[in-house]
Amino acid sequence: MPVRRTPATPIARARAESVRIWKTAHRYDMFTDYLVDRGLMRSTRVAVVLTLLVLGMQPLLFRLGESASSEPHLLAMAIVVIAVDTGWAVLLWRAQPWLDIRLSLCFVTTSCIFLGAAALTMPGPLLGLMACSSYAAILGYVVFFHGSRVFALAMTSAVAVVTIIAVREITDGTALIQVIAIATTVLAVISTVPIMTLLLMGILTVDAEASECDSLTGTLNRRGLHREIRRPGSEGCTIFVVYLLDLDGFKSVNDTHGHQTGDAVLVAVSRALSDAVPNASVARVGGEEFVVMERRVAGRSVELSRRAELLRMVVRTSSQPAVTASVGISLSAPVPSRLVTDPTQLLNRLMCAADEAMYTAKKAGGDRTHVGDVVDVTDLGERFS
């Protein structure tokens, strides 16, 4: 196994960490989940909406402070800006728990275009450079919700607008050194805090990914399952199915063949389960307990016994020495896509029902399956705010 070498100098380590953050896929749901878990979604929503409305009013206020008849097209543009910003504010306020990623990217794109247009149409280049400071707000939003690559694109648009306005300022006769001083100050103001936050968020994202995986098998752990059950599903109602597998007599494997062999068996079982159900979420939730969680569209046939038998047979043929598993199955009542349930409680109930079914299978002799109760979700519905 190749040894991962740590860069020798602090600069090299920082460069390596930056490259790792850049290559790590950003998880759009991570920050939203954090806000929901901490009860901070409502305050975040209020802050974003108020900031959006304040920034949207700027072009109109500047135009109203001048002679509207001199440049009516700019006044019309300012009215369009505040109208579109108000529309986004309504969407952000009503979104549960937040905008989906495509709408959020549209919001970022629209904001960058309008901020650039507002800065470029200010009465003077100096005011235009000052208006560019508003980019700090949208860059901060991008850092938390979209990560490094979208941030790089948004920052590029900000630099382009600042450069165009700086060239205009120089053309108007302002001393080059003064323009450079103002432009670099604006860029520092709008980029320093977001860049530092971006690095921190990148490190937290990498650590969060690691904390959601089982260190031995590489599958999800219980925390990872909580993230998966939060993931948005398809339109319509969704049924969650949980298969809980407990390896029969696994202690004897460790006692007879040693813990290293026991670990190898666990790794082999986890890989076999992942290969058998590639569209499901596979997790190791205990010493020799595995969970396979599936999403099914309500109304379609759910062949629980056949799937459970497949998983049971997969375990039997996955490793040497061979092991067997008792499999308990639980499923939820249909969950409407627009009804945001408490995922922690939902997963806990599914796990409890599957655990009871698994013990029924184990008491019957093991190496068999048992279908448990349907988990009701009507009392779990609550809107995140």
Side-chain angles (χ1 to χ4, degrees):
M1 181 178 178
V3 178
R4 182 181 176 183
R5 295 184 178 180
T6 303
T9 66
I11 294 178
R13 287 196 294 272
R15 186 185 299 115
E17 188 68 21
S18 299
V19 170
R20 185 167 71 106
I21 291 172
W22 176 263
K23 290 183 177 180
T24 300
H26 184 75
R27 280 205 359 233
Y28 179 72
D29 63 328
M30 188 182 77
F31 189 56
T32 303
D33 287 350
Y34 178 86
L35 294 174
V36 170
D37 288 341
R38 300 298 187 276
L40 298 174
M41 182 55 78
R42 179 176 292 276
S43 57
T44 300
R45 195 188 311 277
V46 170
V48 172
V49 168
L50 287 179
T51 301
L52 180 62
L53 292 175
V54 169
L55 294 181
M57 287 293 293
Q58 283 186 348
L60 182 60
L61 294 176
F62 272 105
R63 293 302 148 200
L64 293 177
E66 297 184 324
S67 174
S69 60
S70 61
E71 295 178 301
H73 63 288
L74 294 180
L75 178 61
M77 188 195 76
I79 294 173
V80 170
V81 169
I82 187 59
V84 174
D85 275 8
T86 301
W88 278 117
V90 172
L91 284 176
L92 285 163
W93 187 259
R94 294 173 60 87
Q96 297 295 335
W98 198 247
L99 299 176
D100 66 43
I101 187 169
R102 288 172 296 182
L103 270 179
S104 183
L105 286 172
C106 288
F107 167 64
V108 171
T109 302
T110 303
S111 299
C112 288
I113 292 172
F114 282 177
L115 285 174
L120 290 169
T121 55
M122 282 294 171
L126 184 58
L127 284 176
L129 285 175
M130 293 176 60
C132 287
S133 61
S134 299
Y135 269 101
I138 191 62
L139 289 174
Y141 176 91
V142 168
V143 162
F144 286 109
F145 286 98
H146 291 287
S148 57
R149 299 181 186 184
V150 179
F151 174 81
L153 293 174
M155 190 67 205
T156 299
S157 70
V159 171
V161 172
V162 170
T163 301
I164 292 172
I165 296 175
V167 171
R168 286 184 182 177
E169 187 79 6
I170 294 171
T171 304
D172 286 350
T174 304
L176 176 62
I177 190 67
Q178 293 178 338
V179 174
I180 292 175
I182 296 173
T184 53
T185 299
V186 171
L187 289 175
V189 167
I190 66 176
S191 66
T192 301
V193 173
I195 288 176
M196 296 303 295
T197 306
L198 179 68
L199 293 174
L200 177 61
M201 286 294 294
I203 293 171
L204 292 178
T205 300
V206 172
D207 291 344
E209 293 283 357
S211 71
E212 293 174 352
C213 293
D214 177 59
S215 58
L216 175 63
T217 63
T219 61
L220 298 175
N221 55 21
R222 192 177 291 265
R223 181 194 294 267
L225 276 181
H226 281 288
R227 185 252 298 174
E228 281 299 304
I229 205 169
R230 285 185 185 277
R231 184 169 51 83
S234 58
E235 292 295 326
C237 292
T238 300
I239 292 176
F240 292 93
V241 184
V242 165
Y243 306 87
L244 180 62
L245 301 88
D246 186 84
L247 302 186
D248 300 317
F250 183 73
K251 183 176 183 296
S252 63
V253 175
N254 284 330
D255 293 342
T256 304
H257 301 279
H259 287 278
Q260 187 172 0
T261 299
D263 289 348
V265 168
L266 294 174
V267 171
V269 168
S270 67
R271 288 177 179 171
L273 291 174
S274 298
D275 292 340
V277 282
N279 295 324
S281 301
V282 178
R284 180 181 174 225
V285 295
E288 59 271 11
E289 284 189 345
F290 293 87
V291 165
V292 176
M293 185 177 71
E294 289 186 307
R295 294 167 180 262
R296 299 291 187 92
V297 177
R300 297 182 182 177
S301 60
V302 182
E303 299 177 344
L304 298 180
S305 297
R306 180 179 295 184
R307 175 71 85 181
E309 279 296 313
L310 169 65
L311 297 175
R312 186 180 67 84
M313 293 305 299
V314 162
V315 173
R316 287 177 64 94
T317 59
S318 63
S319 66
Q320 287 296 329
V323 291
T324 63
S326 299
V327 185
I329 308 104
S330 67
L331 71 160
S332 71
V335 181
S337 61
R338 298 300 178 189
L339 175 65
V340 182
T341 61
D342 183 339
T344 300
Q345 291 297 322
L346 177 57
L347 182 59
N348 288 345
R349 291 190 184 182
L350 286 167
M351 294 276 287
C352 287
D355 190 62
E356 291 179 5
M358 182 272 294
Y359 274 108
T360 299
K362 193 173 285 289
K363 289 177 182 178
D367 191 20
R368 62 191 66 206
T369 66
H370 184 78
V371 180
D373 298 330
V374 175
V375 174
D376 188 16
V377 300
T378 54
D379 64 324
L380 294 178
E382 61 175 23
R383 284 216 170 270
F384 291 144
S385 60

